[in-house]
Structure formats: structure tokens, C-alpha cells
Amino acid sequence: PRTTRSSENQSSGAAMDPLAVLRDYAARGDLDKIIFNGDDVLFGDDYTFPANAPTAFTSKQSGRPYPLSAAVFLAQHNDLKHTDFLQAARLRRIPPVSLPDRKTFLDFLHFGDSSLPSAEPLLPSSFAQDAHPPPPPPPPENEEGEGPDADDASTAHVRALERPLKDRNAVLDARGRDFLAIYHAALRREEDRLRNKDAAPSATGRHEPSAAAAASLANPKLDKSLGDGFVPIILVPSASQTLITIYNVRDFLEDFVFVPSDEKMRAMKGSPKPECVTLQKKHVRGAGGPVAFEVRDKPASLKADDWARVVAVFVLGKEWQFKDWPFKGHVDIFNKVIGFFVRFEDDSVDSAKVVKQWNVKIISISKNKRHQDRPAALEVWDRLDEFVRARS
């Protein structure tokens, strides 16, 4: 590498190692006299080295030597936080020193044996493995060995021995932590708990509506208000030909986007169909906070207490959907449970011919315009809010 020095010291300067010069400038407190000049690094008026000259300072990870520019830049900016240091080095197009190599080099720079001859490699690794940097000299004491000056000197001595491990930014750094996965795991645990609680099939494997169920629905008033531990139930059809099913109901009511059920089924890759889905409505009038709803598609598995929590149903438009329900007929059903029929806006009128005879709200969505899903889902929530508030 090219090395120059003033005329009186030219012969000795040719063999001088740049790291030895850098360490000498650091010991004298003259790092500010080192400047970058194009492709060179100028050490005052004494030495000039190529900025890209390889040094004995190597990367622990790759084993490649750092150029002189990287060592000088670290020596001059070691007071920066490492993230700020990396950004500043990249802006100057200087190879940044990694965090593990940074401490090793700074220990070498400030505590290394400056009397090492230039023939020996000026590597931090050349020091003995069990060697430790000598501590700073003890603080001077005044004549009495006490007093304010002694206290200040002791404090300075302690701080000189400190080595920062983490700052407030490092403690608050949450990269690598997936809080959304934690949230979904909690929802799955709640769904499992509800399934285990309600999984009590009869000997025939089918739950027949009882007189107790009908009695519990005699009074449509809700015993508890939303957000007070009361979890309402929304029923959806189990048939695949309906638009809203247990597969895509969360996408529609919680995320405000319609996803076809067959797409959701393919994404599950053969996983069993969920028996209960829990979703949240963040803003419900009359509730103190987010309200959880259960969505189910097997009315036959509901118990008497469960029927008292049913507040809404997405209808298929077929009479058999309400077989064995503990109600007297359509009038009784839709007085105590609000009904919704979701259809594509360009479907024929005949598809809603039967539904128009019932007291249900018809919700139209587009086959292709997904930006229209949000108003449709919000209309469902608005109607449901009004209905629940009237029952409470």
C-alpha cells in the first residue's frame, strides 16, 4: 500500500503499520486530525495511507480484513449508538464494523500495548486469551483523602469502568416477536374451551330441543348486556351453497372482506371444519369495549342456555334450515332472532323470493368489487346493534 510521510521521517514511515499510527493518535487524543481526502486517509501532516488498505483488523464472522477507512471511522465515531453508527457508515460508503468486532477493536485501540513492533500483527487476537485490559489508574485523592473532590474523582473512576449493555431502545425493541400470532393462539384456546364445554352429545348423537329451551326463549330480554361477560351467538348455515359460512364469517364480519368459502376450505388443506368461531366487534353501541361473538353452524348441538344467547342467523332461504328449532314458526323466530340473507347483487330475484316473505334483512354484495364489502358488513353490525339494544 502507498504510504507517505514528511521528508525527515520518510524512511521509517514506509514500514509503519496504519493501525499503529491510528492507535498512537487515539492515545494522544488527536483523532480529529485524521481526515479523509478522496481515496486516502491523512494522519495530520505525518502519514498518508490508502483508505482501502487492508489492515490486521479482521472480521470474526467472515475472516476478511477490514479496510483502514472502517477502522478510522469506528475510532472517530465510537460514541454513536450502533444503529446510528451503521447508518452513518453506509452514508459515507464505508464498510461498517459489526457489533462483536466493534468492542474487540476499541479494546485494542484504547488498552493495547503501544510498544508492539510493527513487524508483529497488530491484531486484538494477538493478545493472550486470558489477558484483561488494565483498569484505569485509581482516582487521585486530596491531602485528607476525602471531601467533594475525592467523591467526584471516585464517581469518575466508577464510570470509567462501566460498559453499557443495553439502552432504552434495545429494551423496547420488539422485532422478532409476533404478537398477532399470540392473539390468534389466545382465540383458539378460547374456542377449544367453548367446544369442550358444549360437547355433550346425547345417546343418539343429536340434541333435541327440549321444553327448557323453549321456556328460556319465552322472554326475549337478555339477562346480561354486551361487554359484561355475555357472549352472543350468531348462527350460519352449514350448507356450502350459501355465501356466508363458518369458514368465511370472520373475514366478512371482523375484517370486512368477503372471501369465498371454497377458497378458505382449500387454504385449510384438509383441516377439520371448526365447530365454533370466535370473532370480535370492536365498537358496539351500549357496550363498554370490544364484544366477542360465537359463530356456529350446528343448531342441533345448542343447549337451552345457548339458545338464550342466539341473537342473529344468516338464512339459506330453505325451510329445512329451521327444522327442530325451539320456536313456533318464522314469525316467532324473527321476532327473537334477527335474520340476514346475503346475496350477490346481480343474482336473479327468484333467489330471494322465499326470503322476502320473512322478516329478514337482505344484504347485497358484489362478486368482484371488494371495496363494497365493508359497507355491507357494517350494515349487518348496525342492524344487529339495534336489535340487541332493543332486547336488552
Side-chain angles (χ1 to χ4, degrees):
R2 179 178 66 260
T3 306
T4 61
R5 193 181 178 186
S6 57
S7 58
E8 65 274 13
N9 296 319
Q10 183 69 36
S11 59
S12 61
M16 180 62 68
D17 188 284
L19 287 187
V21 179
L22 177 60
R23 187 173 54 185
D24 182 54
Y25 269 65
R28 302 200 315 255
D30 289 340
L31 290 174
D32 57 330
K33 296 182 180 180
I34 306 174
I35 61 175
F36 289 85
N37 184 20
D39 295 333
D40 296 327
V41 178
L42 278 59
F43 288 79
D45 296 329
D46 296 330
Y47 301 96
T48 299
F49 298 96
N52 61 353
T55 67
F57 178 38
T58 61
S59 169
K60 292 180 180 179
Q61 183 175 4
S62 65
R64 292 193 295 268
Y66 284 104
L68 177 61
S69 58
V72 171
F73 194 79
L74 174 59
Q76 292 179 329
H77 300 87
N78 64 83
D79 57 328
L80 294 177
K81 292 189 303 183
H82 191 63
T83 52
D84 297 336
F85 167 77
L86 294 178
Q87 184 177 5
R90 292 190 180 102
L91 289 175
R92 293 287 300 274
R93 296 184 177 180
I94 295 175
V97 178
S98 67
L99 186 60
D101 297 332
R102 173 177 176 145
K103 184 180 185 304
T104 302
F105 178 73
L106 292 179
D107 287 344
F108 157 75
L109 190 68
H110 295 298
F111 302 116
D113 184 1
S114 60
S115 64
L116 285 174
S118 60
E120 294 184 12
L122 297 178
L123 278 169
S125 58
S126 66
F127 302 139
Q129 293 297 322
D130 58 347
H132 297 282
E141 297 184 359
N142 56 18
E143 296 180 357
E144 291 78 12
E146 56 186 13
D149 293 340
D151 293 339
D152 294 341
S154 298
T155 302
H157 176 67
V158 171
R159 289 182 176 177
L161 296 175
E162 291 180 348
R163 291 291 182 269
L165 298 178
K166 286 187 177 181
D167 58 11
R168 59 185 177 87
N169 294 320
V171 172
L172 296 175
D173 188 4
R175 287 176 294 183
R177 296 175 175 86
D178 189 356
F179 292 104
L180 181 60
I182 297 175
Y183 168 73
H184 286 306
L187 287 182
R188 285 194 296 271
R189 285 196 297 270
E190 179 65 15
E191 292 173 6
D192 292 339
R193 184 188 68 81
L194 293 172
R195 282 199 299 268
N196 294 334
K197 175 183 176 182
D198 298 332
S202 62
T204 61
R206 179 177 178 180
H207 177 81
E208 298 294 338
S210 62
S216 66
L217 291 173
N219 183 4
K221 296 289 186 179
L222 298 181
D223 294 334
K224 296 183 180 179
S225 61
L226 295 180
D228 190 28
F230 177 80
V231 182
I233 294 176
I234 300 174
L235 295 177
V236 296
S238 59
S240 59
Q241 63 264 36
T242 184
L243 294 185
I244 301 299
T245 67
I246 201 166
Y247 292 104
N248 63 357
V249 64
R250 177 180 289 162
D251 298 272
F252 184 63
L253 292 182
E254 192 172 273
D255 300 331
F256 304 143
V257 60
F258 173 76
V259 181
S261 296
D262 55 351
E263 290 186 14
K264 298 293 292 185
M265 293 171 65
R266 286 195 299 268
M268 293 177 64
K269 297 180 179 179
S271 300
K273 182 178 72 170
E275 300 195 8
C276 177
V277 171
T278 303
L279 56 85
Q280 282 198 340
K281 175 68 168 64
K282 295 182 179 180
H283 302 289
V284 179
R285 286 175 289 182
V291 177
F293 287 79
E294 293 178 18
V295 181
R296 307 192 190 188
D297 66 348
K298 294 181 179 179
S301 66
L302 298 183
K303 301 177 182 179
D305 293 340
D306 296 330
W307 278 109
R309 294 190 288 128
V310 175
V311 295
V313 58
F314 283 83
V315 302
L316 178 63
K318 306 293 183 180
E319 294 284 351
W320 54 261
Q321 181 181 2
F322 307 106
K323 184 180 179 181
D324 299 329
W325 280 39
F327 298 94
K328 297 178 180 179
H330 294 123
V331 176
D332 191 26
I333 291 175
F334 298 118
N335 278 338
K336 299 172 181 177
V337 178
I338 186 171
F340 298 100
F341 178 70
V342 181
R343 61 186 290 272
F344 287 128
E345 58 187 3
D346 54 351
D347 282 351
S348 64
V349 179
D350 293 338
S351 63
K353 186 175 181 180
V354 176
V355 177
K356 287 184 177 180
Q357 303 175 17
W358 302 342
N359 183 23
V360 302
K361 174 60 181 176
I362 298 177
I363 305 294
S364 298
I365 61 175
S366 172
K367 287 184 177 180
N368 303 309
K369 301 174 183 178
R370 297 279 64 84
H371 65 279
Q372 296 181 4
D373 296 341
R374 183 181 181 88
L378 290 176
E379 183 178 4
V380 172
W381 283 120
D382 288 341
R383 297 277 183 169
L384 181 56
D385 291 347
E386 294 174 2
F387 178 78
V388 172
R389 190 171 65 254
R391 285 186 59 183
S392 300

